Amino acid sequence: KGERISLRFSQPPPLREEETHLSSCIQRTTSMTEFSATDSLERAEEVLSIHPEEAAQLCERVLQSGENDEEAGKLKEKSVYLLSKIRVAQKNAEALVELLKEIRPLFAYLPKAKTAKLVRSLLDSIAKIPGTLPLQVSMCEESIEWSKEEKRTFLKQRLEARLASLYHQAGRFKDALAVLETLSYEVRKLDDKPLLVEVYLTESQVFHSLENVPKARASLTAARTNANAIYCPPPLQAQIDLQSGKIHLDERDYKTAFSYFFEAFEAFDSLSEGSLASLCLKCMMLAKLMVGSAEDVQSAATGKTAIKYTGRGIEAMLAIASSYKDRSLKKLEKAMADFEDEIVQDKIVKHHLSQLYDTLLEQNLCRIIEPFEQVEIAHVAKLIGQPHDSIERKLSKMILDRKLNGILDQSGGCLIMFSEEDEDATYPAAMETIEEMNRVVDLLYEKAKGM
């Protein structure tokens, strides 16, 4: 009996017909699921331009599949990028926010570097939709909290750098500096130079917005020092050049500012960053205006690479250049009124245009006053077409700055100019002779003392 039992169980029992059918069904279902995810993604790419909503549904189907192996992870990653592209085209920022929250379980199966890239890509997609700055800030803050819970330091630091930049755009300068102070300490400990360049650059931009030029220059110098030690990506280098141009513009070094703006313009043009390239072109034209070369503004705007950026902002700068060339305050005021939105929204142009207006006003006042020894302020205000009070204040400031040699007669309401007398060279020469004689006597005394 023992032998018969051993012979009976020496081979596995054959599968029944029902078990064989069930096993083949499971294998077919698994292969169909894998094919379905790949096929859905390919179908979504095909119908993207024709039926974007159908493509979005296909991408969501891929994301909802329960598989988490390496191949499925790649398919889901592609689906996220494709779905974000669709939502940006639809300008649906809320859907992008929900997408970022939904795919967080997927991050457990992806490498940390890919996770960081995916999160930053979705935040970039939200930024492409106009008017979403508050949403970007809240989403960035929430993502930072999530990365802290998951102990993802690499992602947290990059999100904090982005949050500081968003605070700067929102005008929350104090919050931006608080984030940057903590972040720069952490990054310096890790010696992460690429991130350190971004941190110092953002810090420079914040200080520049606060009109603290010395600290802005110090932060920019630190950013340049770290950028020289590594390979700096072209977009980041262009941002550094743009910031350098702004600081030199504030320091009234207009020729150096123009060269930096030109470098940044060429970089942004090659990167197809239209808005930033247009901003650099406006700053180039402004630098030429401030240096007094109104004729070069037209040539800068009609260059081969610059002509494709023609718009309201460039037209505003051309109108200002035309009025400056004609030395006409009325034309300048008309240009400022016609292009008010373009000038007011751009803080750089607005700030330096006020200086340009003051310069033009002073030149016009000097030209009007030149033939007179005594002239009524009301008459000057009438000729120049400005209010009496503003002209009186301007004349007073010019006298204090020694740009005019005269006094204001408040009782008579007039300006009395003094004739410029030729300086007598006798007194300075006599004082110089006395100083030399004094030096000689001192030397003779020292020699006599030593004998």
Side-chain angles (χ1 to χ4, degrees):
K1 289 182 181 179
E3 288 178 0
R4 282 201 298 271
I5 291 171
S6 63
L7 287 171
R8 185 180 299 173
F9 295 103
S10 60
Q11 294 181 353
L15 292 171
R16 292 197 301 271
E17 185 179 352
E18 294 83 357
E19 292 175 344
T20 307
H21 178 67
L22 180 60
S23 175
S24 63
C25 284
I26 291 170
Q27 289 176 358
R28 278 203 309 274
T29 306
T30 305
S31 62
M32 283 176 66
T33 305
E34 292 176 359
F35 176 76
S36 175
T38 309
D39 191 46
S40 296
L41 190 58
E42 290 176 357
R43 173 66 180 165
E45 290 173 349
E46 288 173 5
V47 301
L48 176 62
S49 56
I50 308 168
H51 301 295
E53 197 56 44
E54 183 185 345
Q57 290 174 1
L58 290 167
C59 290
E60 287 173 356
R61 187 185 301 172
V62 174
L63 291 172
Q64 288 168 4
S65 64
E67 297 183 2
N68 293 312
D69 59 353
E70 186 179 352
E71 189 63 30
K74 289 180 180 179
L75 291 174
K76 288 181 179 181
E77 186 182 352
K78 289 180 182 178
S79 299
V80 170
Y81 286 123
L82 191 61
L83 190 55
S84 66
K85 186 178 178 181
I86 295 167
R87 297 309 183 199
V88 169
Q90 295 173 342
K91 296 184 177 180
N92 191 346
E94 288 76 13
L96 285 169
V97 171
E98 291 301 319
L99 175 63
L100 183 56
K101 292 178 181 178
E102 286 173 6
I103 63 172
R104 278 177 184 166
L106 174 65
F107 295 157
Y109 305 98
L110 289 176
K112 290 186 177 181
K114 277 191 177 182
T115 301
K117 183 182 176 183
L118 205 57
V119 171
R120 285 185 289 168
S121 174
L122 284 172
L123 289 172
D124 287 337
S125 299
I126 297 172
K128 290 176 184 176
I129 303 172
T132 57
L133 186 58
L135 188 62
Q136 291 178 60
V137 171
S138 62
M139 201 61 221
C140 202
E141 289 172 342
E142 186 181 337
S143 298
I144 288 169
E145 291 301 320
W146 176 83
S147 59
K148 284 179 181 177
E149 291 172 4
E150 296 292 324
K151 296 182 180 179
R152 303 201 175 209
T153 308
F154 179 85
L155 177 59
K156 178 185 80 74
Q157 289 175 346
R158 273 140 189 85
L159 288 175
E160 283 178 342
R162 186 184 188 89
L163 181 62
S165 180
L166 291 172
Y167 280 154
H168 171 239
Q169 293 175 36
R172 296 168 60 179
F173 303 128
K174 188 176 179 180
D175 294 336
L177 289 174
V179 171
L180 288 169
E181 185 179 0
T182 309
L183 181 60
S184 61
Y185 176 73
E186 292 178 6
V187 176
R188 280 199 303 270
K189 280 170 62 178
L190 295 172
D191 198 25
D192 188 350
K193 289 190 183 298
L195 183 57
L196 200 57
V197 173
E198 293 181 26
V199 170
Y200 281 131
L201 178 60
T202 306
E203 190 177 53
S204 177
Q205 291 169 346
V206 173
F207 281 129
H208 183 261
S209 297
L210 291 169
E211 298 182 3
N212 192 338
V213 178
K215 285 193 174 181
R217 170 171 279 284
S219 297
L220 183 64
T221 303
R224 278 192 173 282
T225 304
N226 285 280
N228 290 335
I230 58 168
Y231 167 72
C232 190
L236 186 58
Q237 185 61 53
Q239 288 283 358
I240 292 172
D241 289 336
L242 177 59
Q243 183 65 13
S244 300
K246 290 178 182 179
I247 291 174
H248 281 286
L249 203 63
D250 282 346
E251 293 176 343
R252 302 192 179 188
D253 186 1
Y254 301 120
K255 289 184 179 179
T256 309
F258 177 84
S259 64
Y260 276 119
F261 286 136
F262 183 72
E263 291 289 335
F265 170 72
E266 286 192 327
F268 286 129
D269 179 60
S270 63
L271 293 166
S272 301
E273 294 282 352
S275 58
L276 290 170
S278 179
L279 172 63
C280 291
L281 182 59
K282 283 168 65 178
C283 291
M284 285 164 58
M285 297 168 75
L286 180 63
K288 284 293 183 184
L289 269 175
M290 298 304 293
V291 85
S293 302
E295 300 82 6
D296 296 337
V297 174
Q298 182 69 33
S299 59
T302 55
K304 186 177 179 181
T305 53
I307 197 164
K308 59 184 175 183
Y309 297 108
T310 303
R312 291 276 299 174
I314 306 302
E315 288 173 8
M317 296 307 297
L318 288 172
I320 292 166
S322 176
S323 62
Y324 184 79
K325 187 177 179 181
D326 296 340
R327 308 290 180 189
S328 173
L329 274 174
K330 289 183 179 179
K331 278 189 177 180
L332 181 58
E333 288 172 353
K334 185 177 183 302
M336 291 170 71
D338 292 343
F339 298 97
E340 185 178 0
D341 293 338
E342 287 75 17
I343 292 169
V344 171
Q345 289 176 4
D346 195 332
K347 293 180 181 179
I348 303 171
V349 175
K350 183 183 176 182
H351 173 67
H352 291 282
L353 199 58
S354 62
Q355 295 180 8
L356 190 69
Y357 182 83
D358 287 341
T359 305
L360 198 55
L361 179 59
E362 288 175 4
Q363 291 175 355
N364 276 266
L365 285 171
C366 290
R367 188 180 61 187
I368 290 170
I369 293 165
E370 189 177 2
F372 300 100
E373 290 185 358
Q374 183 171 338
V375 59
E376 291 183 355
I377 299 172
H379 180 64
V380 176
K382 183 180 178 183
L383 289 175
I384 206 167
Q386 295 290 320
H388 181 279
D389 294 339
S390 64
I391 293 298
E392 187 174 355
R393 284 195 300 271
K394 188 63 183 175
L395 288 171
S396 176
K397 188 175 182 300
M398 289 174 71
I399 291 168
L400 291 171
D401 292 341
R402 296 188 177 181
K403 294 178 181 178
L404 286 179
N405 186 20
I407 59 169
L408 286 174
D409 184 1
Q410 295 284 350
S411 60
C414 60
L415 171 69
I416 301 170
M417 297 296 295
F418 300 141
S419 58
E420 294 184 3
E421 298 177 358
D422 295 332
E423 290 185 2
D424 189 1
T426 307
Y427 178 75
M431 291 300 296
E432 188 178 352
T433 305
I434 292 168
E435 287 176 5
E436 290 296 328
M437 288 295 293
N438 187 40
R439 189 174 64 84
V440 170
V441 170
D442 288 342
L443 288 172
L444 288 172
Y445 175 74
E446 290 294 332
K447 283 185 179 180
K449 193 177 177 181
M451 289 174 65

